[in-house]
Amino acid sequence: MTDKNKGIMAMIISAFGFAIMGGLVKLIGDIPVIQKSLFRNGVTMIITLIIIIYSKVDIREIKHHKLLLLRSSLGTIGILLNYYALDNLILSDANIIARLSTFLVVIFCFIFLKEKVNFKQVGAIIAAFIGVLFIVKPQLTIQPAYIVAILGSVAAALAYTVLRVVGQKEHYLSIVMYFSTFSTLVLLPYVIFNFVAMSGIQIVYSILSGVGACVGQYGLTVAYKYAPAKEISIYSYFGVIFSAIFSMVIFEEYADFLSVIGYLIIFGGSLFMFLDKIYCSKTYEKALES
């Protein structure tokens, strides 16, 4: 199996892990979002700590605390907003809106990191927002959960923008550990004083949602280890397919016709950016060979 195929396999596993996480978050039921998020981050922290000990990564060598704090703060906000959206929207709707972060990162990297943006990328971004309009179907009053979902994707995109910087400076396990520990410590006091009793099955779902998040996070990390993002990022959209299946089979929720059109528009915009990156890369390689 080639490295690219390994990367594709890992990305699909990652998409499945995140989709499982989203489905389990909905199955947990009427439990505060902060409490659900604490379980997710706590499980991630414990699993990451075990991996760090096994891998002998020295977290005492962490140096870029300001960037890591910013990334962790934005990431925590993104998780809370995303979990609220998962609780209040069709699973596939929440999942596809969360994917907007893929496009928003391009905008934020242009604004904050001065990375170049071409007209094709701008066109794909505009198409993505048109797709969101099909999903949200704005009227005089828009369901608040859609606004929250969009804000969640904005927070996630900002976190990924910071990650573009700090990811080159710190070990990926240290970054995950920093983030999960920060989130756990921030959310813990609220949960202690406002804890809502959970049934045994809700606790199991909460723990498993954390495991799903870990599978998603580490699948993503392994995927980018074997292949560049331009070659495999499109496969993360398998998560939308998995979420749609979970919505229909488990929750008996069905996306309407306009939402499906929105999915196709957003997916098409991402596919266009993906293919354009490959074309540019191959053109560059041919130029070097000539």
Side-chain angles (χ1 to χ4, degrees):
M1 183 181 292
T2 64
D3 282 352
K4 181 179 178 180
N5 288 338
K6 290 178 182 177
I8 292 172
M9 181 84 62
M11 185 62 79
I12 294 174
I13 291 172
S14 170
F16 183 74
F18 282 129
I20 286 288
M21 179 204 74
L24 288 167
V25 167
K26 289 183 73 70
L27 281 173
I28 292 169
D30 191 20
I31 298 296
V33 168
I34 294 179
Q35 190 166 318
K36 292 180 181 179
S37 301
L38 177 65
F39 270 90
R40 186 251 200 218
N41 295 319
V43 171
T44 301
M45 180 184 68
I46 293 170
I47 293 176
T48 304
L49 179 60
I50 294 171
I51 295 174
I52 283 177
I53 293 174
Y54 178 79
S55 303
K56 298 181 180 179
V57 174
D58 190 354
I59 58 176
R60 293 173 298 180
E61 295 181 358
I62 294 175
K63 297 178 181 178
H64 302 85
H65 293 282
K66 290 183 179 180
L67 286 173
L68 287 168
L69 282 172
L70 179 59
R71 182 266 181 272
S72 300
S73 300
L74 292 167
T76 301
I77 293 171
I79 287 176
L80 292 174
L81 296 178
N82 178 244
Y83 271 34
Y84 178 88
L86 287 169
D87 274 349
N88 294 276
L89 294 176
I90 293 175
L91 186 58
S92 52
D93 277 11
N95 195 307
I96 196 67
I97 292 176
R99 302 287 170 180
L100 274 180
S101 59
T102 304
F103 299 93
L104 293 174
V105 165
V106 176
I107 298 175
F108 294 145
C109 286
F110 169 74
I111 295 173
F112 299 112
L113 305 182
K114 308 304 179 185
E115 294 186 0
K116 293 182 179 180
V117 178
N118 59 43
F119 287 110
K120 293 179 180 179
Q121 290 173 319
V122 172
I125 291 168
I126 293 173
F129 281 104
I130 292 174
V132 170
L133 291 179
F134 275 91
I135 298 170
V136 176
K137 296 173 281 293
Q139 301 170 354
L140 292 178
T141 57
I142 300 175
Q143 188 176 341
Y146 282 112
I147 302 299
V148 172
I150 293 171
L151 291 175
S153 67
V154 170
L158 287 169
Y160 296 151
T161 303
V162 178
L163 193 57
R164 291 282 288 267
V165 179
V166 74
Q168 305 298 320
K169 303 175 184 293
E170 301 285 358
H171 194 284
Y172 75 89
L173 285 174
S174 297
I175 295 173
V176 175
M177 186 65 189
Y178 204 105
F179 168 49
S180 58
T181 302
F182 172 89
S183 300
T184 300
L185 293 177
V186 167
L187 301 178
L188 185 59
Y190 176 88
V191 175
I192 289 175
F193 290 104
N194 299 275
F195 184 78
V196 174
M198 303 169 67
S199 66
I201 193 62
Q202 285 178 316
I203 293 175
V204 171
Y205 286 154
S206 296
I207 294 173
L208 290 178
S209 71
V211 175
C214 279
V215 171
Q217 184 64 54
Y218 287 112
L220 201 66
T221 302
V222 172
Y224 288 138
K225 173 183 176 182
Y226 283 113
K230 64 186 178 184
E231 295 184 1
I232 60 174
S233 59
I234 192 69
Y235 296 98
S236 68
Y237 276 78
F238 269 84
V240 179
I241 298 173
F242 295 140
S243 294
I245 293 172
F246 295 155
S247 290
M248 292 184 288
V249 174
I250 300 176
F251 304 105
E252 297 184 355
E253 298 174 338
Y254 300 89
D256 59 29
F257 180 70
L258 290 178
S259 289
V260 173
I261 292 177
Y263 299 164
L264 294 175
I265 292 173
I266 295 175
F267 177 80
S270 181
L271 179 61
F272 175 79
M273 290 178 68
F274 168 73
L275 294 175
D276 183 54
K277 286 178 180 177
I278 289 182
Y279 172 77
C280 291
S281 176
K282 288 182 177 178
T283 302
Y284 177 69
E285 289 172 0
K286 287 181 180 179
L288 289 178
E289 292 172 356
S290 60

